[in-house]
Amino acid sequence: MAQQEVFLKKLVAHCKEYGFVFPSSEIYDGLAAVYDYGQNGVELKNNIKRYWWDSMTLLNDNVAGIDSAVFMHPTVWKASGHVDAFNDPLIDNRDSKKRYRADVLIEEQIAKYEDKIEKEIEKAAGRFGNDFNETLFRQTNPRTIEYKAKRDNLYKRFVSAQNENNLDELKQIIVDEEIVCPVSGSRNWTDVKQFNLMFSTEIGSTAEGATKIYLRPETAQGIFVNFLNVQKSGRMKIPFGIAQIGKAFRNEIVARQFIFRMREFEQMEMQFFVRPGEEMRWFEYWKQTRMKWHKALGLGDNKYRFHDHSKLAHYANAATDIEFEMPFGFREVEGIHSRTDFDLNSHEKYSGKKIKYFDPDLNQSYTPYVIETSIGVDRMFLSIIAGAYTEEPLEGGDMRTVLKIPPVLAPVKIAVLPLVRKDELPERALKIMDELKFNCYCRYDDKDSIGKRYRRQDAVGTPYCITVDYDTLKDDTVTIRHRDTMEQERVPISALEDIVEDKLNIKNILKAIKA
Ligand code: ATP
């Protein structure tokens, strides 16, 4: 099994064992691509949402939040283009009966050529040592040149097939590239078909004539249809944004890779309304701002990169993804799109209601342009867990598994542990916990040896363990153990609140990104 797959399996098992993520309806063998969050998972998820929400609404006094309904008038999805164009190209392998996204199969093939080039470079760098000139090598090494030509040619064909919505050409590329089904190993493919990703249901009883409606595939449309409500009730002046966190539903063709691609998931979206002609400046602004937000978590700057879109959605004039190095390579966590005035214009047309903004500074009315930042809570969750999961050898040959989750996001911030379960130590520990629990999420644990309890807290990513021992009873001091270094220091109980405030409060990291 490839190393990446082994790592992902470990993450999935760890998330289940420690109460982060469970398969949905597990006692009935689960439901594909649907997951439940456990006691630690929900805390981490809530912290991610809090970090995002505060960064949008606290740091920007021109960004307001809303919470719109999942069900919307069916014409919304006609106007947004989802009824006609929210499709993925699917292809089946006749032998394995497995279903794939044709575009993903081709993208993986492109990535294979890129990997081959990187491997050649790695090998040569090892051979030549300090004398290695990578630019020259790329230009002259016959194998590298051949792989690059194949990659570029394939990329060109792929982009033009996608832009022309040419399903026959997508199939032909798969045939020409001799792409095989990873399960059956065969090239026995069906034709490529379009598949609409929206779930539908009915509202109202059949007696009164039920109407077909959709489960929203993105939260953005709830913002667009409320543009005037928020602008008018909040007396908002352009530029301003509307932020929302909520569930979205997509009947994904390929539901693999754990919580990376789910059928029910959560999005955090912000639509920023600007003057026409100023969208590129704001696009750049939000690109940089959002990257800063990610990097401030300290998982490593090298784990993030931008990926500009080669194929733009029907509504966009610029788009980029922020990718994170997942267990299966760099993948999109967040999309930043310049959506032009497409959505507001289209809702104006379909609803027959005027959706314009009167700009008092310009003394004119116009349809605002929109920059969107759209991030999946669950993908963000996966990136945090993947970036945090560490196995470390300990003295004496043991291993510890530790989740080095950014402390501000950790589900449990502080564990309070009496050294032994007697002689007033539990009572003292509970008293400390009673004081700290109003600052952050604390847990008390007195089962098993102290070493085992540290390991348990490491496994859920608790940044600090506070140990109460016999000296505590004498001098009101405790030991603080730091998760990442395992260092222990003696501190007075009275200092604990300051430590909590300094290291664990989301506001401190928000101040850092605004600085
Ligand atoms: P992909 O190309 O991976 O399908 P997308 O480009 O369709 O994603 P967007 O429509 O831009 O995604 O959605 C914005 C964000 O919502 C994504 O960056 C991702 O974090 C999240 N997201 C989208 N689809 C899913 C899903 N099926 N499961 C979990 N998160 C998702």
Side-chain angles (χ1 to χ4, degrees), residues 248-266:
F249 304 83
R250 294 181 189 181
N251 197 1
E252 297 281 1
I253 299 171
V254 185
R256 265 178 250 135
Q257 299 170 325
F258 194 33
I259 53 173
F260 180 80
R261 192 172 296 287
M262 301 158 89
R263 296 199 164 110
E264 173 181 342
F265 58 101
E266 228 172 331

Side-chain angles (χ1 to χ4, degrees), residues 7 40 45 61 143 157 171 210 245 254 259 272 284 311 314 318 334 346 399 419 426 430 444 451-452 473 497 508:
F7 182 57
N40 288 313
K45 214 175 163 206
D61 53 12
R143 255 200 227 136
R157 264 184 91 182
K171 161 91 188 269
I245 300 178
V254 185
I259 53 173
F272 198 72
E284 203 47 45
K311 183 196 175 194
H314 56 279
E334 171 156 7
S346 191
M399 287 287 276
L419 188 63
L430 283 167
Y444 172 83
K452 273 198 183 151
L473 302 181
E497 261 191 60
N508 290 327

